[in-house]
Amino acid sequence: MQKVGYFKSIHVKIVLIYVLLIIIAMQIIGLYFVRELEETLRKNFQDSITDRVSLLEYSTREEIIKVRNEEDLTLEQSLRSILAGLSSYDTYDIKEVRVIDARYQILATSDGNNQSIVGQRSMDDLVRKSITAKDTFNNISIDRETSNRIWNLATPIIYKGEVKGTLYIESNIENVFGQMNEINQILAGGTAVALVITVILGILIAQTITRPISDMRRQAQAMAKGNFSRKVRVYGSDEIGQLAIAFNHLTNRLQEAQSTTEAERRKLASVLTNMTDGVIATDRKGRVILINDPALRLLRIPREMVLNRPIVSVLGIDPVHSFEDLIHLKEPINLDLSSNERPFILRANFSVIQKETGFVNGLIAVLHDNTEQEKVDMERREFVANVSHELRTPLTTMSSYLEALVDGAWEDEGIAPSFLEVTQTETHRMIRLVNDLLQLSKMDSRDYDLNREIVNFNQFFNRIIDRFELSKSDHVTFVRMLSDKAYYVDIDTDKLTQVMDNIISNAIKYSPDGGNIRFGVVVSESIIKVMISDDGMGIPSENVDRVFDRFYRVDRARARSMGGTGLGLAIAREMIEAHGGRIWAESEEGQGTTIFFTLDILKDEEGEWD
């Protein structure tokens, strides 16, 4: 085993991770502490200056608005006296105070060395903003002479809503940043001391983890050479200690597993590889020696009836295949275990267990339930056959009549119109078939949207019945069993109209002369159940559930003669299910058929629909 480099060892990684975590934690804490402290010092400094300025602003305003007599001091003298009074306070933080009137003229300054600016116009932006906006403005600038940071403050002097001037203060905020530098140096020193202690502790902690791991690494190297007698020392009862105990237990198990034969190992590997489905393993004579639970469930037999029996007998293929045939079989085979109640087809794949010498040591059979796939394939084949048949019939009819017309029947005025009418009828029939197929294909792919709207279902139902009652023949009677109460549903009216058209058309088509077609609605909680019943020839009980299958007809000859495509009820089922409902049929042969479907009712809330 390759020796681990020093900088790649887990010992160094643990120490580095420990140190980095401490550094990150201290940096986060330090940044938060420094930022908050700096903000606090700056705010305290600015609040202190602002408090002094408030007193000064009051005194200055009183002097500006004061009505003066001849014996009183002039405004400039009074302001100079007020500013001179700043010396009675600790004004080290305040560098200079200027009083400026509303016309930007400097009236006074506290700086004795800068008296020459009195009487001049102030060009400072803060002064102009303060006078113009009647508000206080501040900023931090750099002193050109000392390179220190200066906090500039301009606060307006307002009397009765009128700006009389402004106070402009320059204060030395550099002391605040100086204090922060000292604090940062103290924090950096503390961080350095903490890191030294952290490194020492990290090394000690890492050793408690890496020492038992190093022992296990040496044990693994010894096991790789075949030495299972050496044991790992257990240092404690923590997770590392439990790992050491488990490692020693593993050593014992590996020593026992070393006695297992190569053939058994290969057989076990093959079984574990194919455990997703049912798995059966045999010996070299084809007798079952291992079978898993999924295989027992698929074959529906108890374990006692399988073990030590030939696999061809267990799978029920002994009349057709022998064990030698299965060894050379390259393709899977289907096992038909269907009953009268339901179909059940299994697909069996076989793989041979061989030694390196090529000697066959057994067989592995993997069983997979293939019923649904076979059902889909059968339905696809039946669908293609039905479509082909439905299209071939009108095409054959059209071809025959068109050949007759080509051969000269078009000249016969008594025959030609009927031939053309038949051809046109068959053309319309094919168009209806293709349209129905396209609609079913779109619904299968969910490539459609329901244009829902809230409607009164009884009114909607009555309008559809009225339309059929006006256009139907007189051989049937419509019987309505509908209440006057309003039930509201959220539906696609076009698609539901098509559903009812298909159902009612079938009822009229198969009803005898003098028969009745009944329409009813039953409401249960939040579900409305719709009933359309006829007195037709009915459907045999074994075929009732199939009337919604595509192309299914109870009486194919009669239905085709009436122009049906066999897709109407299939389309109706897809549309009802798209609305979240259910559709079914009840029938008795010779007594008529009733179609039911359900829809969800919208709840009335305090007369919302009244």
Side-chain angles (χ1 to χ4, degrees):
M1 184 178 291
Q2 185 179 1
K3 186 177 180 181
V4 179
Y6 177 76
F7 290 102
K8 294 182 179 179
S9 68
I10 192 173
H11 184 93
V12 175
K13 290 179 179 178
I14 291 174
V15 174
L16 289 177
I17 291 172
Y18 188 66
V19 172
L20 287 175
L21 289 175
I22 295 299
I23 291 175
I24 292 172
M26 294 190 68
Q27 287 297 319
I28 294 174
I29 295 172
L31 287 173
Y32 177 79
F33 172 76
V34 170
R35 186 186 65 181
E36 293 297 321
L37 182 60
E38 180 180 348
E39 185 65 26
T40 301
L41 291 175
R42 183 186 298 178
K43 186 175 183 301
N44 290 340
F45 176 84
Q46 292 174 349
D47 290 344
S48 175
I49 299 298
T50 303
D51 290 342
R52 297 187 216 174
V53 169
S54 297
L55 296 174
L56 186 59
E57 186 266 340
Y58 175 76
S59 300
T60 304
R61 182 175 68 247
E62 293 299 318
E63 288 298 329
I64 291 176
I65 65 176
K66 181 179 180 182
V67 178
R68 301 182 183 280
N69 300 322
E70 293 180 358
E71 61 273 10
D72 293 335
L73 296 175
T74 63
L75 176 59
E76 290 75 8
Q77 292 172 337
S78 299
L79 293 176
R80 193 179 298 115
S81 174
I82 292 172
L83 295 180
L86 290 174
S87 60
S88 61
Y89 300 95
D90 182 11
T91 56
Y92 175 74
D93 292 336
I94 299 178
K95 180 182 178 184
E96 182 181 3
V97 179
R98 299 175 188 172
V99 181
I100 303 165
D101 64 12
R103 293 172 296 180
Y104 311 115
Q105 183 178 358
I106 300 174
L107 300 179
T109 178
S110 63
D111 189 355
N113 298 325
N114 198 23
Q115 293 297 322
S116 61
I117 66 172
V118 176
Q120 297 181 9
R121 289 176 62 84
S122 175
M123 305 302 294
D124 195 282
D125 287 341
L126 285 183
V127 173
R128 295 181 176 275
K129 289 180 180 179
S130 177
I131 294 174
T132 303
K134 298 182 181 181
D135 200 358
T136 300
F137 292 89
N138 66 87
N139 65 13
I140 294 179
S141 61
I142 304 297
D143 193 328
R144 296 180 181 178
E145 296 179 358
T146 63
S147 297
N148 291 335
R149 277 165 280 203
I150 302 297
W151 185 56
N152 304 310
L153 175 68
T155 181
I157 302 171
I158 301 175
Y159 178 71
K160 293 184 178 181
E162 181 182 355
V163 178
K164 298 296 184 179
T166 187
L167 283 176
Y168 176 74
I169 298 93
E170 293 182 354
S171 55
N172 186 10
I173 201 174
E174 186 66 30
N175 293 335
V176 174
F177 294 98
Q179 293 174 6
M180 288 306 305
N181 290 334
E182 294 177 2
I183 293 172
N184 286 335
Q185 292 175 3
I186 295 172
L187 187 62
T191 302
V193 174
L195 285 178
V196 172
I197 298 174
T198 299
V199 171
I200 296 173
L201 292 176
I203 293 172
L204 296 176
I205 294 173
Q207 286 180 349
T208 62
I209 299 175
T210 57
R211 187 183 297 114
I213 294 177
S214 299
D215 288 348
M216 283 185 277
R217 180 175 64 86
R218 288 190 290 270
Q219 170 65 6
Q221 291 173 339
M223 290 168 57
K225 296 177 182 179
N227 181 12
F228 295 94
S229 60
R230 189 177 182 276
K231 303 298 179 182
V232 176
R233 180 180 174 184
V234 179
Y235 289 90
S237 59
D238 57 3
E239 289 84 356
I240 299 295
Q242 294 296 321
L243 178 60
I245 295 173
F247 199 88
N248 291 332
H249 180 67
L250 176 63
T251 302
N252 296 332
R253 296 297 300 272
L254 286 176
Q255 191 172 7
E256 297 172 1
Q258 201 175 24
S259 60
T260 305
T261 62
E262 183 68 15
E264 291 295 326
R265 187 187 67 81
R266 288 178 176 271
K267 185 183 299 183
L268 180 60
S270 298
V271 171
L272 293 176
T273 302
N274 297 281
M275 279 298 292
T276 54
D277 294 306
V279 179
I280 303 175
T282 73
D283 59 13
R284 59 188 181 89
K285 294 183 179 181
R287 292 189 294 263
V288 176
I289 59 174
L290 179 66
I291 184 170
N292 65 352
D293 292 335
L296 292 173
R297 288 195 296 270
L298 291 172
L299 295 173
R300 294 178 240 175
I301 51 178
R303 189 182 300 273
E304 295 76 17
M305 295 181 60
V306 176
L307 296 178
N308 295 322
R309 286 185 58 195
I311 187 172
V312 292
S313 176
V314 171
L315 298 180
I317 57 175
D318 45 345
V320 181
H321 298 282
S322 65
F323 179 69
E324 289 73 19
D325 294 336
L326 299 182
I327 292 175
H328 299 94
L329 197 64
K330 302 298 181 183
E331 299 294 329
I333 62 175
N334 287 336
L335 308 177
D336 191 352
L337 305 179
S338 303
S339 62
N340 294 331
E341 291 76 18
R342 66 185 185 94
F344 189 57
I345 299 175
L346 299 180
R347 185 182 64 201
N349 292 276
F350 301 95
S351 61
V352 180
I353 302 174
Q354 288 180 309
K355 292 186 177 180
E356 293 180 353
T357 58
F359 180 77
V360 175
N361 202 41
L363 189 70
I364 295 292
V366 181
L367 306 179
H368 176 71
D369 187 352
N370 205 41
T371 306
E372 289 300 321
Q373 183 62 40
E374 287 293 325
K375 182 180 178 181
V376 170
D377 291 340
M378 183 175 65
E379 290 177 351
R380 177 179 54 80
R381 290 191 296 268
E382 183 179 356
F383 180 80
V384 172
N386 284 331
V387 171
S388 301
H389 180 74
E390 294 296 334
L391 289 175
R392 183 179 61 185
T393 300
L395 285 173
T396 302
T397 303
M398 291 170 59
S399 176
S400 300
Y401 279 87
L402 289 174
E403 286 178 1
L405 291 171
V406 170
D407 290 338
W410 63 274
E411 296 178 349
D412 189 340
E413 295 180 357
I415 298 177
S418 63
F419 278 22
L420 291 174
E421 183 179 356
V422 171
T423 304
Q424 185 180 33
T425 301
E426 295 299 324
T427 302
H428 290 164
R429 178 179 166 188
M430 284 194 297
I431 292 173
R432 287 196 305 273
L433 175 63
V434 171
N435 288 337
D436 288 346
L437 288 172
L438 290 174
Q439 186 169 14
L440 280 173
S441 175
K442 182 180 293 186
M443 299 190 76
D444 286 341
S445 64
R446 297 294 186 267
D447 184 20
Y448 65 92
D449 292 321
L450 294 178
N451 298 318
R452 292 179 179 266
E453 59 179 296
I454 299 172
V455 298
N456 182 333
F457 184 80
N458 281 339
Q459 292 181 358
F460 172 75
F461 198 6
N462 276 310
R463 284 198 299 269
I464 295 175
I465 299 172
D466 291 340
R467 175 162 50 83
F468 276 94
E469 198 168 29
L470 291 173
S471 60
K472 71 176 181 64
S473 60
D474 296 331
H475 77 283
V476 293
T477 301
F478 283 9
V479 179
R480 309 189 195 203
M481 296 177 286
L482 307 177
S483 67
D484 295 330
K485 185 175 180 180
Y487 297 106
Y488 289 89
V489 292
D490 188 11
I491 59 172
D492 186 325
T493 55
D494 291 336
K495 288 184 170 53
L496 206 61
T497 298
Q498 185 178 358
V499 170
M500 292 186 174
D501 284 354
N502 288 338
I503 299 173
I504 297 174
S505 296
N506 284 342
I508 295 174
K509 190 184 304 180
Y510 294 104
S511 291
D513 292 339
N516 295 324
I517 298 179
R518 293 167 293 279
F519 305 92
V521 171
V522 178
V523 176
S524 176
E525 296 180 353
S526 61
I527 301 296
I528 184 170
K529 182 169 72 173
V530 183
M531 175 202 76
I532 301 174
S533 178
D534 62 57
D535 295 333
M537 60 185 179
I539 304 170
S541 58
E542 64 273 12
N543 296 330
V544 171
D545 293 335
R546 297 191 60 194
V547 295
F548 296 97
D549 292 345
R550 299 174 184 184
F551 292 108
Y552 178 78
R553 297 185 181 91
V554 179
D555 187 344
R556 291 183 176 271
R558 181 180 178 187
R560 188 173 290 111
S561 66
M562 294 181 177
T565 64
L567 298 174
L569 290 180
I571 294 173
R573 180 177 63 181
E574 296 289 341
M575 290 183 177
I576 291 298
E577 291 178 353
H579 281 79
R582 187 170 68 92
I583 187 169
W584 71 96
E586 295 180 3
S587 182
E588 184 177 350
E589 192 170 7
Q591 300 297 322
T593 302
T594 303
I595 303 294
F596 298 91
F597 65 86
T598 63
L599 296 170
D600 292 332
I601 299 177
L602 295 178
K603 293 288 188 180
D604 282 342
E605 296 183 2
E606 298 179 0
E608 181 180 352
W609 307 110
D610 292 345

